[in-house]
Amino acid sequence: MPMNIQSSFLDSMRLHGDVQADQLINQLFNADNQHEVYSILQLDNSEIRKLKTKSRIAKFLTTTRENPDWFDPKSLLRGQKVFEFWATEIMSLLGSMALPYCYAASPGNKALYLSDKMRYSPGKRLLDTATFVIEVSTPGSLNKSSNGIIQINKTRLIHAIARFYLMKKNWNMEWGLPINMEDMAGTNLAFSVITLLGLQKSGVVLSDKQKNDFIHLWRYIGYQMHIHNDLLPTTYIESYHLAKII
């Protein structure tokens, strides 16, 4: 199916977050169980797996969505191999191109600014993002209950926590919901097609197949992040057009 790139659709996506993650955080935080959430988020992945039958937070963190019809494990692995081979360049581009692309994007950057992460703890913010990219891009990291899946679900909960608190501040809904679907899609594009553009500008020559495999990797990551399917491009060219529109 072709992407839906109509302005009306993209604007509607600014009013949607992550339903499952938001419901869990709202239930726990409204019951004053914040400590339970934060304590489990601090555990290492092996400890989280041990708790998955005892804690609904740990169960959430270890749950993998069923693979969609379009999923191609060979293409995903090839996309991870692109990361593995060019990891140094890609991680450099994370700080010099992909993240600045996100930080300059208004109104999506309002949530980042109001949550104070970049102003008061930029080192931790950058380290957390780098850890996420490495965890999901390492070959073999996206099998069921694997480190990559846990990292994705941790990020979903962290986004939901941010939405919970930001909505209690002087948030302007003209900006859309904090960390909404379009914002998340834009970030996914920053880590995929914007990074590929950065590699190209750096003199790295990739084949069309390598580019599309890398896009497939991030399409799958976006799917596991529960980003709307119509915001998950299938090819490098589609990704480029969507990034330009957003």
Side-chain angles (χ1 to χ4, degrees):
M1 290 180 61
M3 285 189 305
N4 187 343
I5 56 176
Q6 298 297 317
S7 293
S8 58
F9 170 72
L10 294 175
D11 288 344
S12 73
M13 288 293 97
R14 299 201 62 74
L15 301 177
H16 294 274
D18 182 334
V19 174
Q20 292 181 0
D22 289 337
Q23 286 179 344
L24 180 58
I25 290 301
N26 287 339
Q27 289 171 4
L28 291 167
F29 280 33
N30 286 327
D32 293 325
N33 288 330
Q34 291 93 328
H35 175 72
E36 181 185 359
V37 177
Y38 291 127
S39 62
I40 290 179
L41 286 174
Q42 297 301 315
L43 297 176
D44 64 38
N45 292 342
S46 61
E47 292 174 311
I48 289 171
R49 291 189 192 94
K50 291 176 184 177
L51 290 174
K52 66 181 180 181
T53 59
K54 302 175 183 178
S55 163
R56 56 178 170 164
I57 303 167
K59 182 179 180 180
F60 179 94
L61 292 173
T62 55
T63 298
T64 309
R65 289 182 81 184
E66 290 298 320
N67 290 336
D69 293 340
W70 50 258
F71 175 64
D72 181 348
K74 292 181 179 178
S75 179
L76 181 138
L77 182 59
R78 290 194 300 266
Q80 290 181 322
K81 290 290 187 180
V82 171
F83 171 81
E84 185 177 51
F85 191 84
W86 299 105
T88 300
E89 290 81 359
I90 288 172
M91 294 310 293
S92 295
L93 287 164
L94 179 69
S96 63
M97 190 170 183
L99 290 177
Y101 169 88
C102 297
Y103 300 156
S106 182
N109 55 11
K110 299 293 192 295
L112 183 67
Y113 177 79
L114 291 174
S115 64
D116 297 333
K117 293 290 187 180
M118 282 305 293
R119 287 187 290 165
Y120 300 123
S121 55
K124 185 179 187 307
R125 168 72 189 187
L126 294 171
L127 179 61
D128 289 345
T129 304
T131 299
F132 172 82
V133 171
I134 292 169
E135 287 282 8
V136 299
S137 302
T138 299
S141 67
L142 293 175
N143 300 321
K144 286 191 174 182
S145 299
S146 63
N147 289 345
I149 294 297
I150 292 175
Q151 192 66 43
I152 286 171
N153 289 328
K154 280 184 177 180
T155 301
R156 292 174 63 205
L157 287 187
I158 291 167
H159 286 173
I161 292 168
R163 279 190 290 271
F164 180 86
Y165 284 120
L166 286 169
M167 288 299 290
K168 293 181 179 296
K169 292 187 176 183
N170 190 24
W171 182 261
N172 185 347
M173 280 302 293
E174 290 184 4
W175 302 332
L177 198 69
I179 317 176
N180 57 65
M181 280 287 173
E182 189 187 52
D183 293 340
M184 289 188 283
T187 301
N188 188 278
L189 291 164
F191 293 160
S192 56
V193 69
I194 300 302
T195 296
L196 290 175
L197 287 169
L199 286 174
Q200 182 175 298
K201 289 176 179 290
S202 302
V204 174
V205 178
L206 297 175
S207 68
D208 290 343
K209 184 176 182 179
Q210 286 175 309
K211 291 177 183 177
N212 288 332
D213 286 335
F214 195 71
I215 294 300
H216 187 81
L217 164 63
W218 281 97
R219 185 186 186 194
Y220 186 71
I221 293 165
Y223 172 80
Q224 291 296 342
M225 287 282 294
H226 286 239
I227 297 174
H228 194 287
N229 283 329
D230 286 352
L231 294 173
L232 298 174
T234 62
T235 65
Y236 172 81
I237 296 298
E238 284 188 353
S239 298
Y240 177 83
H241 287 310
L242 183 58
K244 191 173 181 179
I245 290 167
I246 290 179

